[in-house]
Amino acid sequence: MPDVQPLVSEFVLKLKRRKVEGSHAVARQTAELLRSVVSQHRMGSTNQAATLADAVRAVGQQLIAANPIELAVGNIVRRVLHIIKEEDMSSTAVGIEGLSVTVDSDDEYDSEHDDRPTLSAAVLASHARNALRAPSLQTLLDDIPVSTAISRTASSTGDSDGKSKSGDKTSTKKLKHDVIAAIGDLIDEIDNCYEPISEQAVELIHQNEVILTLGRSKTVKEFLCAAKEKKRSFRVFVAEGAPRYQGHALAKELVEKGIQTTVITDSAVFAMISRVNMVIVGAHAIMANGGVIAPVGMNMVALAAQRHAVPFVVVAGSHKLCPLYPHNPEVLLNELKSPSDLLDFGEFSDCMNFSTQDGSPLLNVVNPTFDYVPPKLVGLFITDT
């Protein structure tokens, strides 16, 4: 993929330097890059789906390694691999309609006049099992696509070599075209994920309720604004989300939409939760066990909600659904941000000179980015599906 490699290298560099902020932007740009990879990939004459999947997988491994904490990258790579497998199986199923199954028959007319390429019952049964198997992110592309076996069987009949070659070219173009179109649909799904989530707001938010959220989430903002547009009158408590204070930006956006908003400190969540009817928050990722990776401080909010029997609702697009478990070794649950977000080094410069006898500093600063909320603390998930 010489033509697409500069695009891959550029996006890898962006991920390493954390230049792409937000899982939504990361997911969309990942899908766009993989669409370019598929578009510029040179398809072989045989086993096209497998070679295309290998190319996507190779690029995906580079992207995931560049920023392991951004789980949306791996989610989109798996979705694209699943698209390749689905489109390959779909084209194979269409090809099966023109093939006949070789079985023992007493009908001499069938054997003499049926010049269609034959397909063994074993190959057909294998394809049927694959087609009926429920799609699973964990088992993507575990099986070799049966189109290879079918093309070999079909091309082995008589003098159909010329037809087989022309058919291979047509099927190759169709496979690539269908995969590109399906990735385009995936990009549209990512772009439009807010609308189907927001449509459910009027069912959850009722008149004169008090909602609490933490930090800044565009999904939460669109959800609350949708309820406001339906003439719901409610109030929102926004925990500021220190030390980045993204809650301040969300509060400003809600006020501009005419929503009554109160900013509170993160440490005041337990004091204010008794007045709250519902907690609505966004997520960085939703794990396979139902646990949530969310901005730091979210576990404290979830514990407060559980203590006071307040519903804890998570809104997130399907591109944030991750098929991995928190204990998987490839899952990086957290990363540490710069200590300068917490302390002014000029003010604490004197403290930096103090150390223990072994030379380690007496003052340490830990600034984690995310929290893990266990599934038992989550009352409801709302996604675009």
Side-chain angles (χ1 to χ4, degrees), residues 255-275:
V255 169
E256 291 174 350
K257 295 294 184 178
I259 300 175
Q260 189 175 5
T261 306
T262 302
V263 178
I264 64 174
T265 61
D266 298 341
S267 56
V269 168
F270 258 101
M272 304 297 291
I273 195 70
S274 60
R275 308 180 188 182

Side-chain angles (χ1 to χ4, degrees), residues 41-58 81 83-89 91-92 140-149 152 172 175 179:
H41 177 71
R42 296 179 180 178
M43 304 285 280
S45 58
T46 59
N47 213 9
Q48 297 96 347
T51 56
L52 185 58
D54 288 340
V56 170
R57 189 181 293 108
L81 290 175
I83 286 172
I84 295 172
K85 185 174 183 179
E86 278 190 327
E87 296 301 334
D88 180 53
M89 292 175 63
S91 61
T92 300
L140 286 181
L141 296 171
D142 283 347
D143 303 320
I144 298 177
V146 296
S147 59
T148 306
R152 286 199 298 264
T172 297
L175 175 62
V179 171

Side-chain angles (χ1 to χ4, degrees), residues 327-349:
H327 59 264
N328 289 138
E330 64 268 34
V331 174
L332 184 63
L333 289 179
N334 221 327
E335 66 176 353
L336 300 179
K337 292 291 187 180
S338 171
S340 62
D341 293 340
L342 297 177
L343 296 181
D344 183 353
F345 285 109
E347 182 181 354
F348 285 85
S349 59

Side-chain angles (χ1 to χ4, degrees), residues 155-209:
S155 62
S156 65
T157 59
D159 48 48
S160 60
D161 292 341
K163 296 180 181 179
S164 176
K165 291 180 180 179
S166 62
D168 286 342
K169 292 180 180 179
T170 303
S171 62
T172 297
K173 291 181 180 179
K174 185 178 186 304
L175 175 62
K176 180 183 285 190
H177 177 272
D178 291 345
V179 171
I180 292 174
I183 297 177
D185 293 338
L186 174 60
I187 294 174
D188 292 338
E189 175 188 316
I190 296 172
D191 287 339
N192 302 321
C193 69
Y194 301 115
E195 184 176 349
I197 295 175
S198 300
E199 289 175 353
Q200 305 173 63
V202 70
E203 300 177 8
L204 268 77
I205 300 177
H206 303 98
Q207 198 73 5
N208 299 322
E209 285 192 332

Side-chain angles (χ1 to χ4, degrees), residues 163-381:
K163 296 180 181 179
S164 176
K165 291 180 180 179
S166 62
D168 286 342
K169 292 180 180 179
T170 303
S171 62
T172 297
K173 291 181 180 179
K174 185 178 186 304
L175 175 62
K176 180 183 285 190
H177 177 272
D178 291 345
V179 171
I180 292 174
I183 297 177
D185 293 338
L186 174 60
I187 294 174
D188 292 338
E189 175 188 316
I190 296 172
D191 287 339
N192 302 321
C193 69
Y194 301 115
E195 184 176 349
I197 295 175
S198 300
E199 289 175 353
Q200 305 173 63
V202 70
E203 300 177 8
L204 268 77
I205 300 177
H206 303 98
Q207 198 73 5
N208 299 322
E209 285 192 332
V210 178
I211 310 298
L212 185 142
T213 188
L214 181 142
R216 184 187 188 188
S217 167
K218 185 176 180 180
T219 311
V220 172
K221 186 195 77 170
E222 297 294 336
F223 193 81
L224 297 175
C225 291
K228 178 64 177 179
E229 291 174 358
K230 295 295 183 180
K231 307 303 180 182
R232 289 285 193 267
S233 177
F234 57 93
R235 185 176 181 178
V236 179
F237 288 165
V238 180
E240 58 185 0
R244 301 180 68 187
Y245 302 106
Q246 292 186 331
H248 296 175
L250 176 62
K252 181 179 179 181
E253 293 169 348
L254 294 179
V255 169
E256 291 174 350
K257 295 294 184 178
I259 300 175
Q260 189 175 5
T261 306
T262 302
V263 178
I264 64 174
T265 61
D266 298 341
S267 56
V269 168
F270 258 101
M272 304 297 291
I273 195 70
S274 60
R275 308 180 188 182
V276 173
N277 300 104
M278 184 182 303
V279 175
I280 301 177
V281 296
H284 177 72
I286 299 174
M287 310 306 293
N289 66 335
V292 177
I293 299 178
V296 66
M298 198 66 75
N299 189 51
M300 173 191 65
V301 176
L303 289 171
Q306 182 193 48
R307 176 72 175 177
H308 290 267
V310 175
F312 187 88
V313 180
V314 177
V315 293
S318 57
H319 59 275
K320 295 186 178 182
L321 302 178
C322 182
L324 302 176
Y325 289 86
H327 59 264
N328 289 138
E330 64 268 34
V331 174
L332 184 63
L333 289 179
N334 221 327
E335 66 176 353
L336 300 179
K337 292 291 187 180
S338 171
S340 62
D341 293 340
L342 297 177
L343 296 181
D344 183 353
F345 285 109
E347 182 181 354
F348 285 85
S349 59
D350 295 339
C351 301
M352 301 300 175
N353 298 325
F354 295 102
S355 61
T356 59
Q357 293 180 352
D358 58 0
S360 59
L362 289 176
L363 178 64
N364 296 282
V365 180
V366 179
N367 184 16
T369 305
F370 299 110
D371 249 352
Y372 174 70
V373 181
K376 65 180 181 179
L377 299 181
V378 181
L380 179 67
F381 289 104

